[in-house]
Structure formats: structure tokens, C-alpha cells
Amino acid sequence: MKVVFLDIDGVIQPRTQHRHEHRFQIPALCEKLTEMINNGFDYAKLNEENHLAQYDIGAVYFDWETNSVQYLRQLLDKNDAKIVLSSDWKEKGIDMMRILLDIWHLGDYLYGMTDTILWDNGDRCPKDIDHMKIWDYWRKREEERSPAFKAAKEVFLENLKKEDGGRDYIESRCIEILEYLDRHREITGYVVIDDLDLENVLKGHFVRTYPHIKEPDFKKAMDILSKDDGPYPLPKEAVTEQLIAYRNKYINPETFTPYYFHIPQEILEELEEEEKNR
């Protein structure tokens, strides 16, 4: 299969803020989306329950660049490809991102997302959930992720020596993509579309866009996806015992809630057990 590793800001989301001009229209828009999309999700209820929802719904509807979204859809359709999120937007969780992508009828293309660490922001957590318990889970996971990814980073460090600002951020984005490819050997063709400069690591599979996808970017991405040179395993020295242990412990099917906060499956099971014992 073929995938598009998708960043959003600077790719299909230009640096515009039209959502704020339409903020009073968001409640009516959510009612409309619930009826039009008919995916079984209540956008209006989400907007009522979480004040942060209006900003993302507004951004997707009013700020995503129409031509860029159309180029993305053509790229996916012409190559029978799927989306893997590498964008920071993945912090909303895969279920929430599918709901947002559905606004542009892209939800069915979503295949997965690269590994990420999610953090609690207090008001993002459902009121009946102990957000400190969840925050502690993510803190511990981040502590284990760093040594797990260390060897992979060292393998590719040479390619980033000339980077000036933001090298750590660029390095993390690249390693998350390469680690995902190592786990998903079914992928035999991919392109990464991002406004960060990832070329030094992802040569031959990267398209840099700004402020959004344009026709030359689309054509370059099409050329890249015409290749079928996978799968893409990491070098043996990068797949350490720490990485294997981290994957076995954390990277499994996970449950997300539509509250902009990721509740791990093990905590959901604890909460269900506590509810039964009350």
C-alpha cells in the first residue's frame, strides 16, 4: 500500500485565521455538519461540551485551503493511498482527527498516525476523569520513549548536522515517520508532505510546501508515489531492546475520546472496573 504522511499547518492549513471572523456561526455550522456528513457523530454536542472544539471545527471549515485539499484528494485517489498523520494535529487523537477530516470527506482515508506524546491541559479532560492519573501515564511514557528512540536518532544524526534552528523538532518528526514505516511493512510507497525542511533525512520521499499545497507540489508528490521501493525497515542497530519494549508496552490499538484528550485503554479499563465496584 501507499501512504501520505500528512502535516496540516502549512500544507492544507495556510496561516490564516478566518475562523475567528465566523465564530458566531459555529453553533449553526455544527448543526449543519451533523446533518450533512451523517457519520454518526454529533458535532453540535461536541461544540456544546468542549469550548475548544469550535476553533478546530472553524479552522477546518473556514481556513483549510480548498485547492490544497483537492490536490490531496487527487493524490490519494490516483495512487489508492491512505493518510498517516505526522502533524501536531495528531495530538487530538485519531478518532477526533477522523471526525475533523470528515468535514472535507477525507475521514475514510485516515489509516493511522505516527507515535506521539499527549499532554493534559486541565480543561481538556472530561470532568469525571482524574486528569492527574492520565498526565502521569504520559509523563512515564515520554521517559521511556526517549531511550527507545535514541538509537534510531543516532543512526540519522549525521544527516542533520548542518541544521541550524529547530533540529530537535525536525529530528523527532523524521524519526517518528521512519519508526512508523519500520512497523508497517505493508507500506511500499510513501511521500511526506510538510512545511518543515525534512529533506536531509527523507530524501526522495519528501515535498516541502508553504503556505499550502500548490500544483508543483502535487506533481512532485505524484512522481514520488509512482515509485514502489518499499518496505522501509530501520537499520538493525536502530531496533534496540528498548524500542521493542516500548512498542510492546505502548504502541497498540488505543481508545480516544472526543474531548481533545487521549485516555489510554488501560486507564479506561480501570475506570470501568471502579464503576462496577461502586
Side-chain angles (χ1 to χ4, degrees):
M1 67 174 293
K2 298 184 179 184
V3 302
V4 175
F5 285 95
L6 183 67
D7 186 23
I8 289 179
D9 294 316
V11 177
I12 53 178
Q13 164 76 65
R15 304 300 182 183
T16 56
Q17 298 287 323
H18 297 309
R19 73 203 79 163
H20 299 299
E21 302 167 15
H22 300 277
R23 63 186 182 278
F24 298 117
Q25 302 172 30
I26 299 297
L29 171 62
C30 289
E31 295 279 0
K32 176 182 175 183
L33 291 174
T34 301
E35 294 179 7
M36 289 179 57
I37 298 174
N38 194 28
N39 59 359
F41 186 76
D42 191 335
Y43 291 85
K45 183 178 180 182
L46 173 64
N47 184 56
E48 292 171 2
E49 292 181 348
N50 192 297
H51 72 278
L52 296 170
Q54 63 179 304
Y55 297 106
D56 286 329
I57 292 171
V60 173
Y61 191 85
F62 294 110
D63 287 318
W64 284 16
E65 211 276 327
T66 301
N67 290 332
S68 298
V69 173
Q70 290 175 349
Y71 282 134
L72 174 62
R73 184 178 289 107
Q74 287 183 59
L75 183 65
L76 295 165
D77 287 341
K78 290 179 181 295
N79 293 279
D80 194 22
K82 295 290 187 181
I83 293 171
V84 175
L85 287 173
S86 53
S87 167
D88 287 342
W89 281 56
K90 65 189 177 182
E91 295 179 0
K92 305 176 196 309
I94 196 167
D95 290 346
M96 174 57 67
M97 286 309 303
R98 184 170 283 108
I99 289 162
L100 293 173
L101 286 165
D102 268 343
I103 294 174
W104 287 89
H105 307 291
L106 291 171
D108 288 342
Y109 294 91
L110 184 57
Y111 187 71
M113 65 184 194
T114 56
D115 187 55
T116 189
I117 299 295
L118 312 180
W119 292 107
D120 179 20
N121 192 17
D123 58 353
R124 298 187 179 203
C125 190
K127 293 179 180 179
D128 58 339
I129 302 296
D130 182 356
H131 74 273
M132 290 304 297
K133 180 184 290 188
I134 305 170
W135 185 90
D136 190 52
Y137 165 91
W138 287 108
R139 179 183 59 79
K140 290 178 180 177
R141 178 165 171 170
E142 184 178 46
E143 289 175 353
E144 294 180 36
R145 180 177 123 134
S146 182
F149 281 39
K150 182 179 179 182
K153 287 186 176 183
E154 289 176 349
V155 169
F156 297 98
L157 190 61
E158 286 294 321
N159 292 326
L160 291 168
K161 278 188 174 180
K162 294 182 180 179
E163 289 293 340
D164 294 321
R167 195 188 79 175
D168 289 343
Y169 194 82
I170 291 171
E171 185 179 76
S172 294
R173 179 70 58 89
C174 291
I175 295 303
E176 287 166 359
I177 291 169
L178 294 170
E179 189 278 329
Y180 186 92
L181 287 166
D182 183 71
R183 278 187 285 123
H184 291 270
R185 305 295 176 88
E186 70 275 19
I187 297 173
T188 58
Y190 77 96
V191 63
V192 179
I193 307 179
D194 207 303
D195 65 338
L196 289 173
D197 187 1
L198 312 180
E199 178 66 28
N200 286 342
V201 175
L202 302 172
K203 291 177 181 177
H205 287 275
F206 174 65
V207 177
R208 189 177 190 184
T209 63
Y210 191 83
H212 53 78
I213 299 174
K214 299 175 183 177
E215 186 175 10
D217 307 318
F218 166 71
K219 290 181 177 179
K220 183 177 179 180
M222 283 290 294
D223 288 341
I224 291 172
L225 278 186
S226 70
K227 296 186 291 186
D228 205 27
D229 56 353
Y232 311 94
L234 285 171
K236 290 182 179 179
E237 62 269 29
V239 185
T240 61
E241 291 183 2
Q242 292 98 325
L243 178 58
I244 293 170
Y246 176 82
R247 287 171 167 175
N248 290 339
K249 185 173 181 179
Y250 294 112
I251 305 181
N252 293 305
E254 297 174 325
T255 301
F256 296 82
T257 63
Y259 290 94
Y260 293 70
F261 191 83
H262 176 214
I263 303 180
Q265 181 65 36
E266 64 185 68
I267 294 180
L268 281 175
E269 292 172 356
E270 288 179 15
L271 294 169
E272 289 173 0
E273 190 63 30
E274 290 174 4
E275 185 66 27
K276 290 178 183 177
N277 295 331
R278 282 179 185 173

